[in-house]
Amino acid sequence: MDAMMLVEVLDVHGHTQQRQRVGSAGGQCRIGRSLTCDMIIDDGFAAPEHTLLTLQGDGRVLVQDLGSRNGTRIDGRLVDRSDGQVIAGGELRIGKTRVRVRTANEAPLEPERPFRRDPLRRHRTLLAVAGLLLCLAFAAFLQWTWAPERLAQQVLIAELLVVAGLAVWVGAWSLVSRLTVGAWQVRIHLAIAASCVALWVWGYWLYTVAAFALQWRWLGPFMVGLGALVALAAAYLHLRNATQFARLASLSLALLAPLFCGGVFWLVDLQIDPRTVNRVEHGARIFPPSLRLAPSMNPGDYLSDAEALKREANRNRQQSLLEAPVLDAAE
């Protein structure tokens, strides 16, 4: 295979801004801010003529720094200014600009991935609308159960609070997406946030109804576990769609979400639960006393014991009168 080289200038999101192909041994690509360069970059930290790339006969690339002040880095290491460095491919750092070099000597490319979108991206509009409607419905239902004097006004306030909370949350994640991957992805983050909140609030309502009706003590830990899983899934999906983190890094950061959401839920529950009329106090369990079987007694023995108790009581009464006589009412 003939020697060839592909040089790509990347932006902060890893997207290609410029691309140049060199297809013969001895071909060169000069990079810098000067108009005499083959690839011109707009970077104040790069020299006018910063780096020279020369394609070798064996398909590798000789990287030479042209006396720049900040130097040229290959995978984080400075290139020797006098001898340069021969590479089979990699990423260069020229000033603050990332330049990727590819050659035919690199490892074979992976097969193409099949084109299919995950269910979240395919149905993001439907999930966003359904989740938002469920959140608004729960806000109205909750106000109806509290039965305030001005129901319509309280429902409107609750709906506006729900919309404002989701707007802040979705806006924050959309801004992160715009800064890291270059796209807002508002519908995806709205679908994740609204679906997560809808599962939380309606699931908690079903739990309170079941706990009141069935008195199952194991429902509490079960609901805590389900809420933690929902928070973990939501945080993981937000991170995967808003950042360029790997799966393991996204999962590790998402593990903090259940702790945070659990603390917020606990604080909110401390304020709301004591005020509801359906609150059930789970006290100590009450069981019937244990039964003891004794052999039957002779009625005569029972009566003799009763007479003995009666005599003992009379003696105690007489003794108490001697120690503390009762005064005559006439005195």
Side-chain angles (χ1 to χ4, degrees):
M1 180 181 293
D2 295 336
M4 62 181 61
M5 168 179 66
L6 181 66
V7 184
E8 298 173 318
V9 177
L10 309 178
D11 61 10
V12 293
H13 304 298
H15 302 154
T16 302
Q17 289 183 319
Q18 300 181 51
R19 180 182 288 120
Q20 180 172 341
R21 182 173 178 268
V22 178
S24 60
Q28 293 182 334
C29 179
R30 193 178 301 266
I31 305 174
R33 292 186 290 115
S34 174
L35 295 178
T36 60
C37 295
D38 301 300
M39 297 192 74
I40 303 172
I41 57 177
D42 185 14
D43 187 347
F45 296 90
E49 294 187 359
H50 197 110
T51 306
L52 178 63
L53 305 179
T54 304
L55 182 60
Q56 307 292 299
D58 59 359
R60 296 187 298 171
V61 178
L62 173 63
V63 181
Q64 295 174 293
D65 185 82
L66 300 178
S68 65
R69 178 179 299 178
N70 295 321
T72 302
R73 296 179 180 271
I74 299 178
D75 296 330
R77 293 175 295 181
L78 279 172
V79 175
D80 185 85
R81 296 180 182 273
S82 57
D83 299 331
Q85 184 174 342
V86 178
I87 61 173
E91 184 173 297
L92 311 181
R93 178 72 70 168
I94 300 174
K96 288 191 174 182
T97 303
R98 297 164 56 192
V99 177
R100 183 168 56 200
V101 178
R102 297 175 56 187
T103 66
N105 291 348
E106 289 183 322
L109 298 177
E110 298 178 356
E112 71 276 11
R113 295 182 299 177
F115 181 76
R116 63 171 181 267
R117 294 186 298 175
D118 57 273
L120 176 61
R121 291 184 175 273
R122 186 181 304 121
H123 306 294
R124 58 185 182 274
T125 302
L126 177 61
L127 291 173
V129 173
L132 182 60
L133 291 178
L134 286 174
C135 293
L136 296 177
F138 182 81
F141 173 75
L142 192 62
Q143 291 298 321
W144 177 75
T145 57
W146 287 347
E149 295 181 357
R150 294 173 293 181
L151 179 60
Q153 180 179 352
Q154 295 299 323
V155 168
L156 179 60
I157 293 175
E159 305 286 359
L160 291 177
L161 290 176
V162 169
V163 173
L166 288 175
V168 172
W169 183 260
V170 173
W173 279 109
S174 299
L175 180 60
V176 174
S177 297
R178 182 65 180 86
L179 295 175
T180 54
V181 300
W184 290 98
Q185 304 192 71
V186 177
R187 283 181 294 171
I188 291 179
H189 292 296
L190 178 59
I192 297 171
S195 301
C196 173
V197 174
L199 287 174
W200 270 343
V201 293
W202 283 107
Y204 180 70
W205 179 77
L206 291 175
Y207 156 71
T208 55
V209 172
F212 178 77
L214 303 176
Q215 294 292 299
W216 288 347
R217 300 174 66 91
W218 55 267
L219 280 179
F222 179 74
M223 278 302 300
V224 171
L226 283 181
L229 286 178
V230 172
L232 175 63
Y236 175 77
L237 292 174
H238 275 308
L239 289 170
R240 287 293 295 168
N241 288 278
T243 65
Q244 295 180 344
F245 292 148
R247 295 181 183 273
L248 182 58
S250 299
L251 182 60
S252 301
L253 291 175
L255 290 175
L256 300 177
L259 300 178
F260 174 77
C261 295
V264 173
F265 176 80
W266 177 68
L267 292 177
V268 172
D269 187 65
L270 286 180
Q271 299 297 323
I272 295 178
D273 190 59
R275 304 176 186 178
T276 177
V277 296
N278 296 325
R279 186 169 185 265
V280 178
E281 285 285 352
H282 297 286
R285 295 187 177 185
I286 301 177
F287 298 98
S290 59
L291 300 177
R292 293 186 300 171
L293 300 178
S296 60
M297 296 178 61
N298 190 350
D301 296 337
Y302 175 78
L303 294 176
S304 63
D305 292 341
E307 289 294 332
L309 291 174
K310 185 177 179 180
R311 291 193 296 269
E312 182 66 24
N314 288 332
R315 285 196 296 270
N316 292 336
R317 181 174 179 274
Q318 293 174 0
Q319 183 66 29
S320 63
L321 290 175
L322 292 175
E323 294 177 355
V326 179
L327 298 179
D328 192 351
E331 298 179 358

